[in-house]
């Protein structure tokens, strides 16, 4: 299996390193300092107290990498629309594209379920550029349950977890889902085939769409946020609203917000990805995590005072810092 990773940052770098170490032919589409480091020194993975350096083919020109069997897109949400058209040279007749990204994907309401609609999500893909470049028929959904950081270009620090859930956007089993899961398992990852990836996406989103922006607004780690009774209550109310939306779109949530917060507390105090991006001055993944939820809720007439407040405040903060477009 020929595998290209687009976006060799934290998650993308971790997957690229593990797949290359397992013997797969891995290539990276990268730019700038990351590309220079990959070419000069390779990809360095820091995990379980060990350092592993892996040499992978890297280019900023997809034509040089050629057709692939699997393309893993691990970009930050704000970068996807601009990058999607550049992926065409990687796509052969049977190439599978698996976005390993946070939040609601562009195809979420088009894939099926009781809320299926041809209308795209304006908050994710306003002009249809992503949909045109990556047709739904090529896509495998993916939910990433692991934490990584990239302290500098070409270096990945693994935190905890190694679980990925993979499935067809419209649900059900498929040979390509099984093949991708087998490849990930060969790389030592915990890969699960999902019969309903939309539900898995919404369940993870329900758990992290609040903690990320609250941490970005406050600068607090997860344990400090959970210890504040007012912040804790605000998060629970926003989660209740997201659960109501899930029920309308065929992604019901059976766990309570308090149960989900208890799971988060067990992970200890950590900086969310959005807090890390805020402190580093990087564009925030606000649209995939919150704007899309607000857009879907609006379409289905769900009252969302807490989600709306969270979106408005975080968006304003990010715009004032130049981390979200005006």
């Amino acid at each position: 299996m020929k595998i290209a990773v687009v976006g060799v940052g934290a998650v993308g770098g971790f997957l690229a390193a593990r797949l290359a170490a397992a013997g797969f032919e891995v290539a990276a589409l990268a730019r700038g300092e990351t590309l220079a480091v990959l070419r000069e020194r390779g990809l360095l993975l820091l995990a379980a107290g060990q350092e592993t350096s892996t040499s992978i083919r890297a280019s900023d020109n997809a034509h040089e990498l050629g057709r692939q069997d699997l393309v893993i897109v691990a970009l930050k949400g704000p970068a996807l629309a601009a990058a999607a058209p550049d992926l065409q040279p990687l796509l052969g007749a049977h190439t599978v594209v698996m976005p390993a990204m946070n939040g609601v994907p562009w195809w979420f309401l088009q894939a099926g379920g009781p809320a299926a609609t041809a209308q795209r999500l304006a908050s994710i893909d306003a002009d249809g550029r992503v949909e045109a470049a990556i047709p739904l028929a090529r896509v495998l959904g993916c939910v990433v349950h692991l934490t990584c950081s990239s302290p500098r270009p070409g270096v990945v620090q693994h935190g905890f977890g190694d679980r990925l859930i993979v499935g067809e956007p419209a649900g059900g089993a498929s040979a390509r889902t099984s093949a991708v899961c087998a490849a990930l398992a060969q790389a030592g990852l915990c890969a699960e085939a999902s019969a309903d990836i939309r539900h898995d996406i919404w369940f993870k989103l329900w758990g992290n769409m609040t903690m990320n922006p609250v941490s970005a607004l406050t600068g607090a780690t997860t344990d400090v946020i959970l210890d504040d009774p007012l912040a804790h209550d605000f998060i629970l109310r926003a989660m209740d609203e997201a659960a109501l939306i899930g029920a309308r779109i065929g992604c019901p949530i059976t766990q309570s917000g308090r149960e989900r917060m208890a799971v988060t507390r067990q992970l200890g105090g950590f900086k969310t990805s959005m807090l890390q991006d805020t402190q580093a001055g990087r564009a925030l993944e606000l649209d995939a995590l919150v704007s899309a939820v607000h857009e879907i809720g609006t379409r289905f007439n769900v009252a969302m005072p807490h989600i709306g407040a969270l979106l408005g405040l975080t968006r304003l903060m990010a715009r004032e810092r130049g981390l979200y477009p005006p």
Side-chain angles (χ1 to χ4, degrees):
M1 185 180 289
K2 294 180 64 177
I3 303 171
V5 177
V6 181
V8 191
V11 171
F14 176 71
L15 296 178
R18 294 291 293 267
L19 288 163
F24 291 99
E25 184 179 343
V26 178
L29 187 63
R31 292 182 173 85
E33 190 175 355
T34 298
L35 175 60
V37 171
L38 291 177
R39 284 175 166 172
E40 181 179 349
R41 300 194 294 271
L43 181 60
L44 180 64
L45 174 62
L46 311 176
Q50 297 183 333
E51 296 186 2
T52 306
S53 182
T54 304
S55 178
I56 61 175
R57 186 182 177 197
S59 176
D60 57 359
N61 187 340
H63 288 281
E64 292 183 1
L65 302 180
R67 303 286 191 253
Q68 305 290 318
D69 299 309
L70 173 65
V71 176
I72 299 174
V73 181
L75 296 166
K76 292 287 188 178
L80 180 60
D86 296 336
L87 306 186
Q88 291 305 306
L90 304 175
L91 308 182
H94 304 290
T95 304
V96 174
V97 179
M98 187 179 77
M101 301 170 63
N102 279 329
V104 177
W106 74 93
W107 51 262
F108 192 73
L109 291 184
Q110 299 172 316
T117 174
Q119 186 179 359
R120 70 175 61 96
L121 286 167
S123 54
I124 304 297
D125 189 23
D127 59 4
R129 183 182 300 184
V130 179
E131 179 185 348
I134 311 173
L136 182 59
R138 289 192 179 277
V139 174
L140 269 186
C142 177
V143 182
V144 178
H145 287 286
L146 58 89
T147 66
C148 289
S149 61
S150 181
R152 57 188 184 276
V155 178
V156 177
Q157 173 74 60
H158 179 235
F160 54 84
D162 62 359
R163 180 181 175 219
L164 291 97
I165 308 175
V166 180
E168 293 288 345
S174 72
R176 62 183 192 170
T177 299
S178 299
V180 170
C181 284
L184 295 171
Q186 186 174 327
L189 301 168
C190 179
E192 301 176 17
S194 171
D196 189 354
I197 195 66
R198 290 176 65 256
H199 181 272
D200 295 313
I201 289 170
W202 195 262
F203 182 76
K204 181 186 177 183
L205 178 73
W206 173 74
N208 72 2
M209 63 161 283
T210 49
M211 193 66 71
N212 267 281
V214 169
S215 68
L217 283 171
T218 63
T221 54
T222 55
D223 55 337
V224 175
I225 294 170
L226 290 174
D227 285 341
D228 186 291
L230 294 178
H232 188 274
D233 183 65
F234 176 85
I235 288 172
L236 289 176
R237 291 177 184 275
M239 292 176 73
D240 287 343
E241 294 168 4
L244 286 174
I245 299 170
R248 297 281 181 90
I249 63 174
C251 300
I253 303 295
T254 57
Q255 192 178 46
S256 74
R258 293 188 183 279
E259 289 171 335
R260 182 64 181 82
M261 290 297 98
V263 173
T264 302
R265 188 179 290 279
Q266 290 175 1
L267 301 177
F270 61 92
K271 292 183 179 182
T272 69
S273 60
M274 192 175 289
L275 175 55
Q276 293 178 45
D277 287 341
T278 301
Q279 294 178 336
R282 295 188 290 259
L284 301 192
E285 290 187 294
L286 187 60
D287 288 335
L289 285 170
V290 189
S291 301
V293 176
H294 192 265
E295 180 180 350
I296 295 170
T298 300
R299 289 193 192 183
F300 289 89
N301 300 312
V302 176
M304 302 169 290
H306 296 83
I307 292 175
L310 186 61
L311 173 59
L313 291 170
T314 311
R315 186 169 58 194
L316 183 60
M317 177 276 292
R319 280 176 173 161
E320 288 297 303
R321 299 187 182 192
L323 307 180
Y324 188 85

